[in-house]
Amino acid sequence: HNLVTRDFAGAIYPVNRSADVVQMAHSYRTLSDIPGPVDLAVIVLPHDQVLAVVDECARKQVKALVVIGAGFAETGEAGAALQQEITERARRAGMRLVGPNCLGLLSTEPGRELNATFAPTWPPAGNVAVSSQSGAVGLAILDYARSLGIGISQFVSFGNRADVSSNDLLERWEVDPRTRVILLYLESFGNPRRFMEIARRV
């Protein structure tokens, strides 16, 4: 819904095993049925179905994944093992992974708007890049940004941070001409020493 209502300029391919139409767009039964290339796959499925879809994305040569659903490392050892397997398979296929257990990501770049989140609000465009490890805090930030008129360049909720991390985002936003301010909400550090090196420089 958010992808369609924000008038994303690229092609949108809903995939659903039981529906022919999703949000007024033709739906495909499987990823392999999609006729064109896929840059980003947003996976919204129960955790026990995600691994098979990651393998399908690899065969389709998808470039990046956003895994919205929960049921991974935050739930215990079995979930952590599943998350690790998903991450390793994505990396072997050359795919970057945002999440799992995340809110998604968005960009307000004029003419290239992308809202791959389930957030109910859309912030104004601006020069503040935001990353939140917590989906709830991310929702609150987007809501406050809209109400206060604070412009957002990009927003990423990385959840369990299986692959894409705050360090990756800092280095990306360092060279982004639309970003002048970076806001991070972190609950833990994967590589604290590397984070300090990057943060001091940025």
Side-chain angles (χ1 to χ4, degrees), residues 46-57:
H47 66 278
D48 58 350
Q49 298 179 31
V50 172
L51 193 58
V53 174
V54 170
D55 289 340
E56 193 175 359
C57 288

